[in-house]
Amino acid sequence: MVSPERLLADLVPPRHFAEARFATYRADPAHPSQAAALDRLSELARQVVAPRAGGLRALLARRQAPPAVYLDGGFGVGKTHLLTSLAHAVTEQAGPGVVSVGTFVEYTNLVGALGFLPTVEALATRRLVCIDEFELDDPGDTVLMSRLLRELADRGVALAATSNTLPDALGEGRFAAEDFLREIQALAARFEVLRVDGEDYRHRAVVTEPEPLAAATVREAAHEHPGAVLDAFDDLLGHLGTVHPSRYGAMLDGVELLALTDVHPVHQQEVALRLVVLVDRLYDRDVPVLLGGAAGGEGQDLFTPEMLAGGYRKKYYRALSRLGALAEEGRRLAAADV
């Protein structure tokens, strides 16, 4: 069981983005919206850290909604880089403990561990709360997050979020309940939408297009690297089903390389969604991955065509993009051992 204290302590920019700063974001001139988003977030950082007024000015300020921005764009256009750059900028100017950064899932897990009101009290001490990859796995989570953000905004906490669809289109094609759509609309009204156009800088649509690594290569590389963990793909998938997703990050403590043998397409949606969460945690921690294909493995897609066309397709494509980058690094490490 991961303690509530650990969950709160983990709400910081992930290791992959530890060095992300506005100055290191390379806006593509072909997509002016990238530079525009960069400028707006730089301005937002200054707004968040500005000295808070006292007296009548403070009373008037509380009546104004705190800033809330929503970065919308495709995969690999730098939304998380921008989000964590904002978090770093505010922290560097206002000091530690004033910003929380986490994924949608991490915040819902926090509410599950602490309870709703204690979570509000804990996060209300922040000046800025950042939510990466705002998702809709079920209506309950959406209502929960909508209420949480409203409570924080009412207490003067600035908000910043990312996703791959506009706020008022979240859940489109997945749920149709009138009350659920009303919740989405209420949440959408809180945010200033910043579009971030561009190409996926990771340039990975799928991760298994190259010939899969031989099992012997995977095992040898795992043996050579300290901190490597070697697993059969099916064993890993089975284990994920026994661990709550909130623990996937802690499960990777000390793991420097994940080596998998007998990798094959995943056909069950609940299994695929667990794998998506694991890939996100691997990517956060910059853990390279070795993907060894099944002997005579048929099919090059990790997720089925039905999954890639379904309601969770954005999750799957994000996972493929991120896993592709980690697998490329894994191949580089394996090649260095030859």
Side-chain angles (χ1 to χ4, degrees), residues 158-282:
L159 305 172
T162 75
S163 189
N164 299 299
T165 55
L166 291 171
D168 56 5
L170 283 170
E172 185 177 330
R174 211 185 294 176
F175 307 108
E178 182 178 349
D179 289 344
F180 180 59
L181 293 178
R182 187 181 301 117
E183 280 293 329
I184 296 172
Q185 294 294 334
L187 179 60
R190 289 282 183 176
F191 291 93
E192 169 192 356
V193 177
L194 302 178
R195 182 75 188 181
V196 186
D197 299 299
E199 303 297 325
D200 184 348
Y201 77 93
R202 292 182 290 260
H203 299 296
R204 290 291 183 274
V206 295
V207 299
T208 49
E209 283 183 343
E211 285 298 313
L213 295 171
T217 301
V218 172
R219 293 190 180 96
E220 181 179 354
H223 178 74
E224 292 292 329
H225 289 274
V229 172
L230 175 66
D231 262 319
F233 190 53
D234 281 335
D235 290 343
L236 173 66
L237 297 180
H239 182 63
L240 293 181
T242 68
V243 179
H244 191 276
S246 65
R247 297 188 61 194
Y248 288 6
M251 189 173 66
L252 294 172
D253 286 351
V255 177
E256 300 297 330
L257 173 69
L258 177 61
L260 298 174
T261 59
D262 299 328
V263 176
H264 59 78
V266 178
H267 295 280
Q268 294 175 291
Q269 185 121 269
E270 65 273 18
V271 176
L273 290 172
R274 292 187 202 112
L275 182 59
V276 167
V277 176
L278 178 67
V279 171
D280 284 341
R281 301 291 80 78
L282 289 165

Side-chain angles (χ1 to χ4, degrees), residues 7-330:
L7 293 176
L8 274 169
D10 282 349
L11 292 178
V12 295
R15 184 169 69 179
H16 185 80
F17 294 98
E19 304 303 320
R21 299 294 187 277
F22 290 137
T24 62
Y25 182 76
R26 299 290 177 255
D28 187 345
H31 299 282
S33 61
Q34 295 186 9
L38 177 63
D39 291 343
R40 176 65 185 102
L41 290 183
S42 299
E43 177 187 353
L44 178 64
R46 292 189 291 271
Q47 185 178 354
V48 171
V49 302
R52 296 184 173 180
L56 179 60
R57 290 178 61 196
L59 178 62
L60 294 174
R62 282 197 294 269
R63 291 178 178 174
Q64 297 177 343
V69 297
Y70 186 102
L71 299 176
D72 177 76
F75 309 100
V77 297
K79 300 188 303 299
T80 302
H81 186 133
L82 288 168
L83 187 75
T84 51
S85 295
L86 171 65
H88 285 303
V90 172
T91 299
E92 288 165 2
Q93 296 177 65
V98 299
V99 180
S100 286
V101 181
T103 64
F104 180 91
V105 172
E106 287 174 312
Y107 284 110
T108 56
N109 287 338
L110 183 64
V111 173
L114 294 181
F116 184 79
L117 289 178
T119 299
V120 172
E121 294 297 332
L123 296 179
T125 63
R126 284 15 178 201
R127 290 198 180 190
L128 172 69
V129 168
C130 299
I131 308 100
D132 198 22
E133 297 296 349
F134 203 102
E135 298 178 349
L136 295 176
D137 289 338
D138 62 61
D141 282 348
T142 304
V143 172
L144 174 68
M145 186 59 72
S146 178
R147 183 184 168 202
L148 176 63
L149 296 187
R150 288 200 302 270
E151 290 279 353
L152 293 176
D154 288 345
R155 295 179 183 227
V157 179
L159 305 172
T162 75
S163 189
N164 299 299
T165 55
L166 291 171
D168 56 5
L170 283 170
E172 185 177 330
R174 211 185 294 176
F175 307 108
E178 182 178 349
D179 289 344
F180 180 59
L181 293 178
R182 187 181 301 117
E183 280 293 329
I184 296 172
Q185 294 294 334
L187 179 60
R190 289 282 183 176
F191 291 93
E192 169 192 356
V193 177
L194 302 178
R195 182 75 188 181
V196 186
D197 299 299
E199 303 297 325
D200 184 348
Y201 77 93
R202 292 182 290 260
H203 299 296
R204 290 291 183 274
V206 295
V207 299
T208 49
E209 283 183 343
E211 285 298 313
L213 295 171
T217 301
V218 172
R219 293 190 180 96
E220 181 179 354
H223 178 74
E224 292 292 329
H225 289 274
V229 172
L230 175 66
D231 262 319
F233 190 53
D234 281 335
D235 290 343
L236 173 66
L237 297 180
H239 182 63
L240 293 181
T242 68
V243 179
H244 191 276
S246 65
R247 297 188 61 194
Y248 288 6
M251 189 173 66
L252 294 172
D253 286 351
V255 177
E256 300 297 330
L257 173 69
L258 177 61
L260 298 174
T261 59
D262 299 328
V263 176
H264 59 78
V266 178
H267 295 280
Q268 294 175 291
Q269 185 121 269
E270 65 273 18
V271 176
L273 290 172
R274 292 187 202 112
L275 182 59
V276 167
V277 176
L278 178 67
V279 171
D280 284 341
R281 301 291 80 78
L282 289 165
Y283 187 76
D284 288 346
R285 289 159 175 75
D286 276 334
V287 178
V289 175
L290 292 173
L291 301 176
E298 297 179 1
Q300 296 181 321
D301 295 325
L302 190 58
F303 304 114
T304 67
E306 292 77 16
M307 291 177 183
L308 296 177
Y312 297 103
R313 59 189 177 279
K314 293 183 182 295
K315 283 188 176 187
Y316 295 136
Y317 278 113
R318 182 185 78 234
L320 290 172
S321 175
R322 290 181 166 186
L323 188 55
L326 299 176
E328 187 68 22
E329 177 62 14

